[in-house]
C-alpha cells in the first residue's frame, strides 16, 4: 500500500521561499563580489573557492557539487590551470580521468578573496548579534543540504547531472 505524503510547507510559502532564495543569491553576489578581489572572472573565483573547500577531486565530482555540466567546468578548469591556480594530474585509479587541486598560488588567492569577502560581510552584519548570524547560517545550511540531497534532485534532459534549474 502506498502512502501519500502531505506537504509540510504550504505552496504559498514555498513559492515565496524560491523567490527570496533567488534574490538572496543575487544580492549576496552583489554585496560581496568586488573587482578588487582579483584579476580572474567571478565565475572562475567561485569554482576555485569550491575546489579549495572540497579538496582534491575528480573534475566530474566538482561539476556535481557545483551543479554545472562537465563541459563548461572543463573550460573553467583549463583557464584556472593556465592561470596557475589549479593543477591537474592523472587519476592513479583510472588513467583516463584527471584529479584537480588548488595550487599554492591558488590557495593564496583563495585566502585573499575569502578575507576580503568576510570583511565586507562582517561590516554588513554590524546590526546583527552572534546568535542571529548562527541561526541564519544553520537555516541556510539546512536548506542547501535539503536541496542537494540526491533523493530530491530531478534529472532532466537539459541538466544531466540531476538538478532542476530555477
Amino acid at each position: 500500500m502506498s502512502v501519500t505524503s502531505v506537504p509540510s510547507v504550504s505552496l504559498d510559502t514555498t513559492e515565496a521561499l524560491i523567490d527570496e532564495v533567488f534574490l538572496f543569491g543575487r544580492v549576496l553576489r552583489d554585496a560581496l563580489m568586488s573587482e578588487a578581489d582579483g584579476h580572474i572572472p567571478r565565475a572562475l573565483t567561485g569554482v576555485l573557492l569550491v575546489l579549495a573547500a572540497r579538496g582534491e577531486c575528480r573534475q566530474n565530482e566538482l561539476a556535481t557539487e557545483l551543479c554545472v555540466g562537465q563541459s563548461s567546468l572543463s573550460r573553467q578548469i583549463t583557464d584556472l590551470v593556465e592561470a596557475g591556480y589549479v593543477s591537474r594530474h592523472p587519476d592513479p585509479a583510472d588513467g583516463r580521468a584527471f584529479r584537480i587541486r588548488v595550487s599554492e598560488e591558488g590557495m593564496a588567492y583563495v585566502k585573499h578573496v575569502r578575507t576580503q569577502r568576510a570583511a565586507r560581510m562582517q561590516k554588513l552584519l554590524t546590526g546583527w548579534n552572534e546568535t542571529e548570524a548562527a541561526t541564519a547560517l544553520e537555516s541556510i545550511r539546512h536548506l542547501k543540504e535539503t536541496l542537494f540531497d540526491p533523493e530530491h534532485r530531478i534529472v532532466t534532459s537539459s541538466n544531466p547531472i540531476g538538478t532542476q534549474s530555477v
Side-chain angles (χ1 to χ4, degrees):
M1 174 180 357
S2 139
V3 177
T4 306
S5 65
V6 177
S8 56
V9 179
S10 74
L11 187 57
D12 288 344
T13 300
T14 304
E15 289 173 349
L17 183 59
I18 290 168
D19 292 345
E20 288 300 322
V21 168
F22 177 77
L23 292 172
F24 174 77
R26 290 183 173 273
V27 168
L28 181 67
R29 185 177 56 238
D30 186 56
L32 298 184
M33 301 277 193
S34 168
E35 297 304 323
D37 283 342
H39 57 278
I40 65 173
R42 291 177 178 178
L44 296 182
T45 298
V47 170
L48 193 60
L49 289 166
V50 172
L51 179 58
R54 187 183 203 304
E56 182 177 313
C57 63
R58 282 184 168 186
Q59 201 165 294
N60 66 331
E61 295 167 343
L62 183 61
T64 298
E65 187 153 337
L66 289 167
C67 300
V68 298
Q70 289 187 48
S71 62
S72 65
L73 180 62
S74 182
R75 290 186 296 276
Q76 292 173 318
I77 293 298
T78 297
D79 290 346
L80 288 167
V81 168
E82 289 173 0
Y85 291 155
V86 168
S87 64
R88 183 179 3 203
H89 60 278
D91 186 338
D94 180 354
R96 300 168 296 167
F98 287 91
R99 297 190 64 78
I100 53 175
R101 69 173 165 247
V102 178
S103 67
E104 282 186 38
E105 185 178 350
M107 287 305 287
Y109 179 78
V110 164
K111 182 175 171 43
H112 167 75
V113 169
R114 288 179 56 90
T115 300
Q116 293 297 314
R117 288 180 180 181
R120 282 194 289 278
M121 180 66 118
Q122 191 174 38
K123 189 174 183 179
L124 292 167
L125 295 177
T126 300
W128 290 48
N129 64 43
E130 189 68 24
T131 301
E132 290 171 319
T135 300
L137 175 60
E138 183 180 325
S139 293
I140 291 168
R141 277 188 181 149
H142 182 62
L143 180 60
K144 179 197 69 167
E145 289 166 3
T146 299
L147 297 176
F148 197 73
D149 183 344
E151 182 180 322
H152 300 108
R153 296 174 92 187
I154 300 170
V155 177
T156 65
S157 60
S158 65
N159 194 350
I161 63 170
T163 57
Q164 172 119 6
S165 53
V166 178

